[in-house]
Amino acid sequence: MQNPFIMFKSAASVNVEESEKRSIEESITTKPTQNFVTCIHRAKIAGFFRNVTITWSKSLIGHSLFIMVENPSEETHSSCKIDLKTWQFWGRKGMKSFRVDEKRVDIYWDLRSAKFSSSPEPTSDYYVAFVSEEEVVLLLGDQKKEAFKRTRKAPSLSEPALVHKKENVFAKKCFYTRTMLGQGQKEHDIIIESVLSDPCEPEMWISVDGTTTIRIVNLHWRFRGNETIEVDNVPVQILWDVHDWLYNDQTSGAGGLGTFIFKQGTFEVEPDSDFDERISSSEDSGDGSGEFPSPMELDSTADFCHFLYAWRTE
């Protein structure tokens, strides 16, 4: 039996300050008030590999960047927030410092020329550089030369890695994102299209770099599922749950939420005495309300995972 899709409404929470964390978690269970993209990187900071959480958000007054560095030896993690309000230019370039395990970490950024699309994350012409122990341990953006010149530090020999991405997107029927898949963890264009107007045969298509890789017909019966494709000769599993696109009560004001996961490698479910019972329960209910295993119960052959929360708008 194929592994069922998992409802991720409370899993994989982003470790940020309580106010930021609460805002992000609420945006998954209720219709969000702002776009956000959260990426978790693994980088060597203060002598150890740590999780670095980067959250870009977009509201009516501008963009903001929230940064958190994991510090397991302390009760609170090191963090800072950078506001990029539309009427303020001075905040688009700067430097902040904090301490992790009593060692200084500097963050340099230059977003004065940053280009943005519909996503709150910049697409080009910017950098955000992390300096620890006289090395650039993590560098975001495409202006690498400018970042090295300003920090006057060499890149670390320990390569950072992107391990997790989560984002909200809004559209009527066509959703777009970019994700790191395949050989060398290259970025690929992902487009998700659907036709739900036909009550008899709703359909959905998922394309990678302009080529349709998955077509789901009769979406009423396949609103939750998963398939494995190949990207650059590497297996990639795509999981989806679009139950609320089809059956959500629009009068509640919650909006239609579809959840997608792009995971390099394949999932394997650990043995669980009640696993088959939970599958049977959810299948018997027929409404997608059954309980499913959390992502922590799944083992995979690769680290990177992209969670996409697709909100349909009228």
Side-chain angles (χ1 to χ4, degrees):
M1 179 183 295
Q2 274 192 325
N3 300 338
F5 182 76
I6 307 96
M7 292 299 290
F8 290 96
K9 290 188 176 180
S10 61
S13 295
V14 181
N15 292 322
V16 296
E17 288 181 340
E18 279 306 314
S19 60
E20 297 287 333
K21 179 178 178 179
R22 191 180 306 112
S23 174
I24 292 172
E25 288 179 342
E26 287 176 353
S27 71
I28 297 171
T29 56
T30 60
K31 192 163 186 178
T33 58
Q34 63 180 15
N35 291 2
F36 74 84
V37 175
T38 293
C39 295
I40 298 179
H41 301 259
R42 291 282 289 173
K44 191 172 184 179
I45 295 178
F48 296 95
F49 278 95
R50 307 170 189 269
N51 287 341
V52 180
T53 301
I54 309 292
T55 298
W56 300 90
S57 61
K58 178 183 178 182
S59 64
L60 294 176
I61 62 173
H63 295 76
S64 65
L65 169 61
F66 186 87
I67 298 170
M68 198 241 11
V69 178
E70 178 188 49
N71 192 359
S73 63
E74 301 288 341
E75 292 185 0
T76 58
H77 301 309
S78 303
S79 62
C80 70
K81 185 176 182 180
I82 302 168
D83 286 315
L84 306 173
K85 294 182 174 62
T86 54
W87 63 87
Q88 292 178 345
F89 187 76
W90 58 267
R92 294 178 175 269
K93 180 180 180 180
M95 190 272 283
K96 288 188 177 182
S97 300
F98 49 74
R99 304 192 76 81
V100 177
D101 282 346
E102 300 303 321
K103 295 183 179 179
R104 176 170 167 164
V105 176
D106 296 325
I107 301 176
Y108 298 82
W109 70 90
D110 190 344
L111 298 153
R112 294 173 299 175
S113 302
K115 302 293 191 301
F116 291 89
S117 60
S118 58
S119 170
E121 184 179 18
T123 57
S124 64
D125 299 335
Y126 78 101
Y127 68 79
V128 180
F130 294 71
V131 175
S132 173
E133 299 184 303
E134 303 299 315
E135 293 181 330
V136 177
V137 294
L138 178 61
L139 179 55
L140 310 176
D142 57 343
Q143 293 186 339
K144 300 185 184 300
K145 290 183 178 179
E146 292 84 348
F148 289 127
K149 181 179 179 180
R150 183 179 175 199
T151 61
R152 299 182 181 180
K153 301 293 187 295
S156 173
L157 295 178
S158 301
E159 285 286 336
L162 176 63
V163 297
H164 179 92
K165 184 174 182 178
K166 179 165 63 175
E167 65 178 314
N168 269 336
V169 292
F170 300 83
K172 290 185 177 181
K173 62 179 181 179
C174 183
F175 299 89
Y176 168 80
T177 187
R178 291 180 63 82
T179 191
M180 305 285 285
L181 298 172
Q183 295 285 353
Q185 293 280 289
K186 298 176 183 177
E187 277 200 323
H188 293 270
D189 294 319
I190 306 291
I191 295 178
I192 301 168
E193 298 177 272
S194 63
V195 175
L196 307 181
S197 56
D198 187 341
C200 297
E201 297 183 357
E203 297 186 29
M204 182 173 69
W205 300 266
I206 301 177
S207 303
V208 179
D209 294 335
T211 301
T212 301
T213 56
I214 297 177
R215 180 189 178 193
I216 302 99
V217 297
N218 200 357
L219 203 57
H220 278 313
W221 295 100
R222 298 190 63 199
F223 57 80
R224 181 181 293 121
N226 70 94
E227 289 191 18
T228 300
I229 64 172
E230 283 198 354
V231 178
D232 298 338
N233 298 317
V234 174
V236 173
Q237 190 164 21
I238 300 178
L239 303 96
W240 67 88
D241 184 338
V242 295
H243 173 273
D244 287 358
W245 284 5
L246 298 163
Y247 303 113
N248 185 62
D249 180 9
Q250 297 296 328
T251 61
S252 66
L257 170 63
T259 310
F260 297 84
I261 300 174
F262 304 91
K263 185 75 172 71
Q264 197 145 290
T266 56
F267 286 123
E268 293 181 1
V269 179
E270 293 292 332
D272 187 346
S273 59
D274 66 345
F275 181 70
D276 291 335
E277 294 179 6
R278 283 187 286 173
I279 295 176
S280 299
S281 174
S282 65
E283 289 177 343
D284 292 342
S285 67
D287 62 356
S289 60
E291 293 183 1
F292 290 85
S294 75
M296 302 310 174
E297 298 176 53
L298 300 178
D299 183 26
S300 75
T301 58
D303 289 330
F304 178 71
C305 193
H306 185 166
F307 293 73
L308 179 68
Y309 299 98
W311 293 88
R312 288 185 67 90
T313 58
E314 297 300 326

